[in-house]
Each structure stands twice: as structure tokens, then as C-alpha cells.
Amino acid sequence: MMASEAQLADVTVAGLLAPLQSAALEAGRAIMHHYETGCAVFDKKDLTPVTEADRNAEAIILAALADHAPNIPIVAEEEAAAGRIPTILGDRFFLIDPLDGTREFLLRNGDFTVNIALIENGVPIFGLVYAPARHLLFIGSSQGAEEIETCADHKSQQQRPIKVRVAPSEPIALCSRSHATAATEQFLQKNRIRHSVSVGSSLKFCMIARGEADIYPRFGPTMEWDTAAGDAVLRAAGGMTVTPDGLPLLYGQRADGTISGFANSDFIALGGGNWPAFTLLDY
């Protein structure tokens, strides 16, 4: 059932939490069905892979948003790949990646997530990240960040608040599993960060948010739908994602009706503590 005009004027994060949490879990359930039984794989125009799992998960999320927030524009990865991008975003819009880490999904290593984020004035104010293979759902909002364990049929069970830790003297860095770059390695070396772990998808943001790691430098291409939900969780847990010049990473600021308008700049996601000024790369 579509919301009334009165309801449309009062779409709040609190009102969206339950239906979007349900949609994320349902999308995860659909993804795991394909994970266990196999599914068709296609190449997009940019030659990156897309699967039936991506498409099914996105359809579930878009249906939930059509019911509960039909007046808020949506930028979703597979819709964008098909050329369906809102021409006007306004102050609030959703960024959706129905299956972040498609390569990890195909490699069957479990490092893939469902990402749902709400952006307001360039800032990710609400994010849901569901890692269905790990049975972990992360939520970030103005109320803080939390982690929810799910059971075998992808229903919520135990939950707990999470927050970043103060970085130890030997911080742990997280790096992309499938998109490692020489620039990232150079950044770690220049800043004497000796310990790093390779992880796929937006799980890197969530691992920092739960105090498991400390920094995620990304010097290489990403899209806004890849990062927004995890970034929202990280910020709600007390961390921050910044550009190399130290400014908060913003979303939708370069939107021009094309996919390229949603490309991120390089960034560094950080946990707690007083981080020193970083030695950056020579561009």
C-alpha cells in the first residue's frame, strides 16, 4: 500500500528502520539462496560482473522503498547501470548496493554485503549493512551504531551497541581484497602502518565500527553506493571517513545524471583516537 501525502511529509529514520531492516534481511535471504544453489552471471557495460542475486536483492529493496519512502529519490547500483538515475536528488536520497562484493560472492569467501544508506545534505545519516554469510547486520543512525546477529533463516536475534576503539600504538589497517593497489601499499609504508588485513565489501567500515580494526585507506575507484551505508555505520560508532585532505567524505555532490557523477574520491576511513596528519602520496 502506498503512503498517503500526510505520511510522505513525515518520512523519518525511525519510521524507516523496521521496514528497511526487514528488506535487508530478505535481500540477504535471496542472496544466500543463489549462493548455495548457483546463479547466472552477466557482464555489465563496464565489464564488471552482475548476477541474478544482485538483481533479486535490488528488487526486494526497491519494493520496500516504494512502499515506505516513495517520495525520496533512489540511486541503486543496478538501476544506475541500466541508465535509470534520478535527474534531481534534492536534500535526501537513498544509495543502494544490493550485493556489494559481487566478486567475493562468486569466489564464495563470504565477504559480501547488502548496503542501504540514506543521505541528507551530503552526509550518510542512516545505514544498514547486512553480511548474510556471516549472519551479521550493522545499523548506524543518530541513535548510535549496533550489531545484530541473525539466525539460519536470517531473522534478527541478539543485538549489541558497537563503537570504534582508540587506535593502539600499532593500528590495524584494512585493505580491499579484490582491488589492492600499489598506492594503498605506499600509503601504509609512508605512515608506518605495519599490520594490514584484506577484506572484501563494506565489511571494512563495520570492522572498524566494532573496534576490530582502525583504518581503511582507499586509493582506487569506488562508487558512492559501495561506501555510504558502511560509512553511516562507522560515523554512528564514533569514526569518520575523510578525503586525503582531511575533509569529511560527502555524497551526491558531483551528481550529474550519469554513473560517473557518483564516483568517490580517494578516502581514509578512521576509528577513534587522535590521528596524526598523514603522509600522503605524490600525485
Side-chain angles (χ1 to χ4, degrees), residues 41-83:
V41 184
F42 311 94
D43 283 334
K44 293 190 279 192
K45 290 181 180 179
D46 63 1
L47 300 182
T48 58
V50 61
T51 71
E52 284 299 318
D54 294 79
R55 293 172 175 174
N56 289 167
E58 185 162 295
I60 290 167
I61 297 166
L62 293 181
L65 291 174
D67 280 344
H68 298 281
N71 62 326
I72 300 178
I74 303 167
V75 180
E77 181 177 15
E78 305 315 327
E79 286 283 290

Side-chain angles (χ1 to χ4, degrees), residues 174-204:
L174 300 176
C175 301
S176 174
R177 185 187 293 277
S178 295
H179 303 279
T181 65
T184 300
E185 183 59 32
Q186 291 170 16
F187 173 85
L188 296 178
Q189 291 176 0
K190 284 193 172 188
N191 290 280
R192 296 185 174 87
I193 299 173
R194 299 186 297 176
H195 305 290
S196 64
V197 179
S198 295
V199 181
S201 76
S202 58
L203 277 168
K204 293 182 283 295

Side-chain angles (χ1 to χ4, degrees), residues 93-115:
F93 68 97
F94 287 103
L95 280 166
I96 308 297
D97 190 342
L99 177 48
D100 181 31
T102 300
R103 286 186 176 89
E104 316 307 327
F105 171 84
L106 294 172
L107 291 171
R108 304 184 62 78
N109 63 28
D111 281 4
F112 50 86
T113 57
V114 177
N115 296 345

Side-chain angles (χ1 to χ4, degrees), residues 72-76 79-80 83-94 252-259 261-262:
I72 300 178
I74 303 167
V75 180
E79 286 283 290
R84 294 186 287 270
I85 301 174
T87 55
I88 299 175
L89 291 179
D91 294 336
R92 304 177 87 196
F93 68 97
F94 287 103
Q253 304 302 291
R254 295 181 289 179
D256 59 1
T258 68
I259 285 182
F262 290 95

Side-chain angles (χ1 to χ4, degrees), residues 198-220:
S198 295
V199 181
S201 76
S202 58
L203 277 168
K204 293 182 283 295
F205 290 96
C206 299
M207 289 173 67
I208 298 174
R210 74 201 299 246
E212 190 175 347
D214 306 290
I215 182 171
Y216 164 32
R218 185 60 181 258
F219 297 91

Side-chain angles (χ1 to χ4, degrees), residues 128-143:
L128 284 166
V129 176
Y130 184 40
R134 297 191 179 202
H135 290 282
L136 289 174
L137 173 67
F138 300 92
I139 301 174
S141 71
S142 61
Q143 302 303 307

